[in-house]
Amino acid sequence: MMEEGHKLVAWEGYVDWRGKPALRGQHGGMVASSFVLVVEVLENLAYLANSSNLVMYLSKFIHLSPSKSANNVTNFMGTAFLLALLGGFLSDTFFTTYHIYLISAAIEFLGLVLLTVQARSPSLKPPSCSDSCNEVSGGQAAMLFGGLYLIALGVGGIKGSLPSHGAEQFDNDTPQGRKQRSTFFNYYIFCLACGALLAVTLVVWIEDNKGWEWGFGISTVAIFLSIPIFLFGSARYRNKVPTGSPLTTIIKVLAAAMFNNCRSPSNAVASMVASPNYATKTSKAAEEETFDVPSNSLKFLNRAVTNKPAHPALECTLEQVEEVKIVFRVLPIFACTIMLNCCLAQLSTFSVQQAATMNTKLGTLTVPPASLPVFPVLFIMLLAPLYNHVIVPFARKMTKTEMGVSHLQRIGIGLFLSIVAMAVAALVEVRRKRVATHSGLLNSDEPLPITFFWVALQYLFLGSADLFTLAGLLEFFFTEAPASMRSLATALTWASLAMGYYLSSGLVSIVSSVTGTSGHTRWLSGSNLNQYHLDRFYWLMCVLSGLNFVHYLFWANRYKYRSTQQST
């Protein structure tokens, strides 16, 4: 094909939205990724507008207890993020990230319609409390949780496909393309924050003052508008062709390593040709590495190629074995981020309930407790561009590396900040309880004479931790994963969030059970939050985060990047 006298070269392994070969200079690049960034603002607005305030909706209008409300929120958010693995798997295996986004957005839209209808109709919710409150049940509960988990399914699909779709628009062969991809991930977090800012200010205020049907309605409109905006970029996108199930490769290599007979090495090893290093790879080699001999890490997997296959179906290539090793090497890093996300879960549960007991007036304006995340959101919006345009260029000059600050260093900074955040949260809770005691309001539901700005401190530190870790994880998984597994690997970022929320629910249940033995008062029970020992729970989280950080340092120091541009 010719355009203005220049031949357009096809991107190998990529197609346009109609299934035709994607062309260099016509598909991909910053213009294509910009549609993804705009869509992410609307998508995160639709999701976070409800999840940030959902604990109040479940307790005030659905009449669940504070601990049940908190657990239902973390279970919902955990499920949404865990389903990102399904979205990533489908994107790598059967569909493109382009199609998975469109399908997932439609599913989330349907779930939001159900919640909007329920919030609009009093007959679909439990009656208002008089002498006693009845929890939601029967068909009302089915409609509530059906809508919530349709949203979770849609959010999971979007989170599992949209970041990878944006990152795939850049040329992995050139330093400029890799730097642009890094910029994309930084601004992806910036756009997450933009959507969150609108969610926790405008939409939360509308939910608290105009009604939840309006809040759900705004989210419904936002996700609906994201679909045509995403489609406007169709002519510019390059879409990676699915190459088959990455899980099949992993299972095959593991089975071969266990069952292959201990005989002479297979010819697969001898036939492999060595490839040059990352910085000098050709286009094809940059996407799919080849190897001449098995690496020394995870030696037990080498039996998949060095031993004679026990069955023809278990015959593996050295390339497949090394790809599976890459997946196994990133799993400890993934595991070390779960505790951070357990800490982040508190921002949507106990931190909101803490603020609800305090003075939330700002002059003549009453600030909804669920709007507290505005503090870390604003900080992220300021820090993300500063990090990309000031800190990273300075670090590149100092370290003489392409990245400046490595992915693992960035993740480590976030994990350390989570320790500080939990210590701050415990100290703030001690002060809040002291004020409640001295004011004689320990058994009262009246607002305490202490400003909610104290709780904002823990939001600030956890927001900073989220910025460093989330962007670092997204780019780390996308960059380090084999090309055939990138969407699934990137989805591990959201799976870490899911595991964090589930761990939060589990810790709440375990702490409530263990601390109630031998006649002691449970830490997380009482007629109101003032009777909880929430400070002790936060100190426990601080200690666990510290132990997790030490665990992370062990694995981060042992990790070897695929790319020669990275530094540990």
Side-chain angles (χ1 to χ4, degrees):
M1 297 182 65
M2 303 292 291
E3 183 178 279
E4 299 178 357
H6 298 284
K7 186 176 181 179
L8 297 179
V9 180
W11 291 103
E12 187 175 352
Y14 292 86
V15 296
D16 65 10
W17 68 283
R18 294 173 295 184
K20 297 181 179 180
L23 304 174
R24 292 177 181 269
Q26 186 172 327
H27 299 99
M30 291 298 296
V31 174
S33 67
S34 65
F35 288 97
V36 173
L37 296 177
V38 174
V39 165
E40 184 52 43
V41 174
L42 294 171
E43 185 275 327
N44 206 44
L45 164 63
Y47 169 64
L48 199 58
N50 302 312
S51 59
S52 64
N53 204 21
L54 187 61
V55 68
M56 303 304 292
Y57 179 70
L58 294 179
S59 58
K60 287 188 175 182
F61 298 95
I62 305 300
H63 309 322
L64 300 181
S65 67
S67 59
K68 282 188 178 180
S69 298
N71 277 352
N72 272 289
V73 171
T74 52
N75 289 339
F76 160 70
M77 297 176 75
T79 301
F81 289 127
L82 190 62
L83 286 170
L85 290 174
L86 176 62
F89 170 76
L90 294 175
S91 298
D92 284 331
T93 308
F94 301 111
F95 306 94
T96 63
T97 51
Y98 175 86
H99 292 106
I100 290 297
Y101 174 80
L102 293 174
I103 295 170
S104 302
I107 293 173
E108 184 176 353
F109 173 76
L110 178 60
L112 284 166
V113 168
L114 286 178
L115 292 188
T116 304
V117 171
Q118 184 175 45
R120 177 72 176 173
S121 175
S123 63
L124 298 176
K125 300 194 298 289
S128 300
C129 294
S130 53
D131 294 331
S132 62
C133 293
N134 296 319
E135 292 185 1
V136 67
S137 61
Q140 296 174 347
M143 187 171 188
L144 171 69
F145 292 108
L148 281 176
Y149 285 96
L150 276 175
I151 294 172
L153 180 60
V155 168
I158 291 172
K159 299 297 187 187
S161 60
L162 197 60
S164 294
H165 183 73
E168 285 168 359
Q169 306 308 314
F170 302 101
D171 187 357
N172 190 60
D173 294 347
T174 64
Q176 181 185 9
R178 292 190 292 270
K179 289 178 181 178
Q180 287 179 333
R181 185 176 63 199
S182 183
T183 297
F184 164 77
F185 279 117
N186 285 328
Y187 275 96
Y188 180 83
I189 303 302
F190 176 82
C191 290
L192 280 173
C194 289
L197 179 64
L198 293 172
V200 302
T201 54
L202 176 63
V203 181
V204 166
W205 184 88
I206 290 173
E207 287 169 347
D208 288 348
N209 293 276
K210 301 297 181 182
W212 270 85
E213 65 271 22
W214 288 97
F216 286 132
I218 291 173
S219 296
T220 305
V221 172
I223 200 66
F224 178 79
L225 289 177
S226 74
I227 297 175
I229 292 174
F230 183 79
L231 289 173
F232 286 153
S234 297
R236 299 287 305 184
Y237 299 142
R238 66 171 195 159
N239 303 304
K240 185 177 174 297
V241 179
T243 55
S245 172
L247 295 181
T248 300
T249 301
I250 295 172
I251 294 171
K252 178 182 177 181
V253 170
L254 288 174
M258 287 188 291
F259 298 116
N260 280 1
N261 300 317
C262 296
R263 298 183 184 175
S264 59
S266 95
N267 292 331
V269 177
S271 64
M272 300 303 288
V273 180
S275 66
N277 64 32
Y278 185 99
T280 59
K281 287 175 185 169
T282 62
S283 174
K284 186 175 181 179
E287 292 293 322
E288 299 291 346
E289 291 186 87
T290 55
F291 308 86
D292 55 347
V293 293
S295 63
N296 290 326
S297 64
L298 300 170
K299 290 182 179 180
F300 75 95
L301 292 177
N302 292 343
R303 289 181 294 181
V305 289
T306 59
N307 296 353
K308 184 176 180 179
H311 188 276
L314 296 180
E315 187 170 353
C316 302
T317 66
L318 187 53
E319 181 180 341
Q320 289 175 325
V321 172
E322 294 301 322
E323 286 181 349
V324 172
K325 286 184 179 182
I326 292 168
V327 174
F328 274 77
R329 285 200 297 266
V330 303
L331 288 181
I333 304 299
F334 158 79
C336 290
T337 61
I338 293 174
M339 191 62 215
L340 165 66
N341 291 310
C342 180
C343 297
L344 287 172
Q346 311 315 311
L347 298 184
S348 302
T349 55
F350 288 124
S351 294
V352 175
Q353 293 172 332
Q354 277 179 286
T357 69
M358 303 165 80
N359 178 11
T360 60
K361 289 189 176 296
L362 190 61
T364 58
L365 177 66
T366 299
V367 179
S371 291
L372 272 176
V374 71
F375 294 103
V377 163
L378 288 173
F379 189 71
I380 288 173
M381 293 177 67
L382 291 173
L383 185 57
L386 179 67
Y387 179 84
N388 190 76
H389 298 293
V390 178
I391 297 175
V392 169
F394 176 76
R396 284 171 179 160
K397 291 180 180 180
M398 295 297 294
T399 62
K400 306 298 182 182
T401 60
E402 186 176 290
M403 293 302 298
V405 179
S406 74
H407 304 142
L408 293 181
Q409 289 170 343
R410 190 169 183 177
I411 294 168
I413 293 171
L415 294 181
F416 177 77
L417 288 173
S418 70
I419 303 172
V420 178
M422 287 295 96
V424 169
L427 293 172
V428 168
E429 177 61 9
V430 169
R431 178 173 177 80
R432 190 192 70 84
K433 287 284 293 291
R434 186 179 295 125
V435 170
T437 302
H438 291 168
S439 303
L441 298 175
L442 201 60
N443 298 315
S444 173
D445 292 329
E446 294 183 22
L448 303 176
I450 179 175
T451 177
F452 72 105
F453 276 109
W454 283 100
V455 178
L457 290 174
Q458 61 213 54
Y459 277 82
L460 187 62
F461 281 104
L462 280 175
S464 303
D466 193 25
L467 169 65
F468 280 98
T469 301
L470 185 59
L473 270 180
L474 283 169
E475 190 171 0
F476 172 72
F477 287 137
F478 186 91
T479 303
E480 294 298 295
S484 61
M485 305 180 185
R486 280 180 176 166
S487 294
L488 181 62
T490 305
L492 285 174
T493 305
W494 311 110
S496 174
L497 279 167
M499 297 298 182
Y501 283 113
Y502 286 136
L503 178 59
S504 176
S505 296
L507 278 177
V508 169
S509 299
I510 292 171
V511 167
S512 295
S513 176
V514 171
T515 57
T517 58
S518 302
H520 292 92
T521 303
R522 297 177 187 270
W523 288 6
L524 303 176
S525 67
S527 59
N528 60 41
L529 197 67
N530 295 334
Q531 297 180 357
Y532 281 43
H533 294 286
L534 193 56
D535 54 325
R536 299 177 186 176
F537 179 70
Y538 283 150
W539 282 123
L540 174 64
M541 298 278 284
C542 181
V543 171
L544 293 176
S545 297
L547 295 174
N548 179 69
F549 183 65
V550 174
H551 183 222
Y552 172 79
L553 292 178
F554 171 80
W555 289 107
N557 286 327
R558 292 169 59 91
Y559 189 84
K560 301 298 181 184
Y561 287 99
R562 296 176 66 196
S563 165
T564 58
Q565 282 78 21
Q566 296 286 358
S567 63
T568 55

